[in-house]
Amino acid sequence: MKTNPAIDALLGVAVGDALGVPYEFKTRIDMQLSPAKDMTGYGTHNQPQGTWSDDSSMTFCQAESLVHAGYDLADLSQRFIDWKLRNYWTAHNELFDIGITTSQAISRLAQILDKEEWDMLPIQKNLGDEYENGNGSLMRILPLLFYLKGKDLKTQWRCIWEVSGLTHRHVRAGMACFIYLKFAEHLLDGKKKEEAYRLTRKEVEAFWRILELSNEERKHFRRIIQQDVRNISWKDLRSGGYVIESLEASFLCFLQKDNYEQTVLTAINLGHDTDTTAAIAGGLAGLYYTSNGIPEYWIVSTARMEDIVDLGERLHAKYGGE
């Protein structure tokens, strides 16, 4: 199959998401008793095999927006609205899963666009509280990598926090996205994953000093930045909807496993927010191992596979083509 880094990233997210959908909300004990081993269907959301969720839908909205409009918060907001209200970029023309924070945020975005208050979009990031630190912006942020690669850190941070802030307006959610994309950028540059992680930790800590990020916020990233996430024991790792849990779990699964298959299955078998953890980890693993490293059966089983590949080709042509 023809591939490029954008296709690798999008398929990495979607395949991991689709693998995890049938198991969402199952406990870790449930998963230990009956672990995920392959692509399957139905389960929690009663969806056919290969169906991906809001994680991938919003990722594809981000990619489409970048292809058609570049960095444009209004265009991106409209695509999120179209997804929620008109089933845009859904797997089977049906929205079956949406987080509460995301749903409320998209309703707010619709009001902003209706009033043509464009200047309200980039400042959403300043208006949130600690309750807006779910993983709903982290799960969809990866396509922004291709627009931001090579830009200076301050520009990257501003764009990432603005895009994250459309739905999750607290600085912690934005910083989780920043850390994830810095790691992804080093992988895109061809670094080995251990070196990419080392550079990410060093770069983020240095940037915190420039940003003057408070110690109160820094402490939430202690296990992944100031320390080494690989030192977390699996029994102490959480995998729910909190953005820090998702960031830690996805990094640990990716760093500790040696291929795409084991990365995403390990993420799913942690239980709880199985589709999102696998989508986030799968995005990194897709970039690193390429889509040729994803089991072919999983790819061909994934809903709208050809549309995903086409989107990846268009994203790569605009931001990474030769």
Side-chain angles (χ1 to χ4, degrees):
M1 185 182 79
K2 181 181 178 182
T3 189
N4 63 54
I7 293 173
D8 297 336
L10 296 183
L11 282 176
V13 170
V15 172
D17 184 6
L19 284 160
V21 162
Y23 303 99
E24 190 176 17
F25 308 130
K26 288 186 177 293
T27 67
R28 191 164 302 178
I29 293 175
D30 291 334
M31 298 308 300
Q32 290 171 347
L33 293 172
S34 183
K37 298 178 180 178
D38 205 348
M39 184 75 77
T40 186
Y42 303 98
T44 300
H45 294 286
N46 197 34
Q47 295 292 319
Q49 176 179 284
T51 303
W52 29 266
S53 72
D54 54 335
D55 308 46
S56 298
S57 289
M58 298 189 79
T59 298
F60 301 148
C61 287
Q62 173 75 75
E64 285 281 13
S65 183
L66 288 169
V67 168
H68 289 277
Y71 185 80
D72 188 319
L73 297 177
D75 182 87
L76 179 57
S77 298
Q78 185 60 59
R79 291 177 195 274
F80 289 161
I81 295 164
D82 289 343
W83 163 65
K84 178 183 176 182
L85 301 181
R86 303 173 188 90
N87 299 317
Y88 173 69
W89 258 116
T90 52
H92 304 296
N93 200 36
E94 175 193 13
L95 189 155
F96 63 88
D97 189 20
I98 185 171
I100 294 172
T101 300
T102 296
S103 180
Q104 293 173 340
I106 292 175
S107 295
R108 184 169 58 241
L109 293 175
Q111 294 175 357
I112 291 171
L113 294 194
D114 284 345
K115 296 177 181 178
E116 299 185 352
E117 295 176 335
W118 319 119
D119 57 343
M120 289 297 295
L121 295 173
I123 65 170
Q124 288 300 299
K125 67 182 188 296
N126 297 312
L127 303 177
D129 57 32
E130 286 202 82
Y131 293 100
E132 295 187 29
N133 279 317
N135 56 21
S137 62
L138 179 61
M139 72 188 191
R140 61 170 166 84
I141 203 72
L142 189 53
L144 194 58
L145 165 69
F146 300 100
Y147 171 79
L148 290 177
K149 62 178 173 36
K151 290 182 169 55
D152 66 89
L153 289 177
K154 287 185 177 180
T155 299
Q156 290 184 339
W157 167 241
R158 175 184 60 80
C159 294
I160 291 166
W161 195 14
E162 286 178 358
V163 169
S164 174
L166 292 178
T167 57
H168 291 70
R169 299 180 294 180
H170 196 269
V171 66
R172 196 175 310 151
M175 183 53 65
C177 292
F178 179 79
I179 292 168
Y180 181 73
L181 288 186
K182 289 312 300 178
F183 192 19
E185 185 176 25
H186 289 306
L187 297 176
L188 185 62
D189 285 342
K191 299 290 192 299
K192 295 295 185 182
K193 58 183 177 180
E194 295 81 6
E195 176 67 2
Y197 179 47
R198 185 190 69 81
L199 290 171
T200 298
R201 292 167 61 202
K202 180 180 179 180
E203 201 166 17
V204 168
E205 281 210 271
F207 185 61
W208 282 352
R209 291 191 288 273
I210 296 170
L211 194 64
E212 297 183 344
L213 185 71
S214 71
N215 289 329
E216 181 66 24
E217 281 305 317
R218 294 186 194 199
K219 73 179 185 182
H220 296 285
F221 299 96
R222 172 178 52 85
R223 298 203 303 182
I224 201 165
I225 296 298
Q226 293 99 322
Q227 299 174 13
D228 189 323
V229 74
R230 290 168 292 186
N231 293 329
I232 302 175
S233 68
W234 292 101
K235 67 180 178 63
D236 292 332
L237 189 70
R238 297 180 180 273
S239 53
Y242 177 39
V243 70
I244 300 297
E245 295 179 13
S246 296
L247 189 67
E248 290 180 347
S250 62
F251 272 41
L252 185 59
C253 289
F254 173 62
L255 287 165
Q256 295 288 66
K257 301 302 173 180
D258 295 327
N259 55 55
Y260 180 90
E261 181 176 357
Q262 287 304 309
T263 296
V264 295
L265 290 178
T266 300
I268 293 164
N269 288 326
L270 293 172
H272 305 290
D273 202 354
T274 53
D275 56 332
T276 303
T277 308
I280 296 167
L284 297 174
L287 268 178
Y288 192 68
Y289 300 111
T290 81
S291 49
N292 291 324
I294 303 174
E296 185 177 3
Y297 172 68
W298 290 0
I299 292 177
V300 299
S301 298
T302 300
R304 299 185 62 180
M305 180 269 289
E306 292 181 352
D307 292 336
I308 298 168
V309 171
D310 174 71
L311 177 57
E313 288 179 341
R314 290 183 284 121
L315 185 61
H316 181 69
K318 183 157 185 174
Y319 295 106
E322 299 298 325

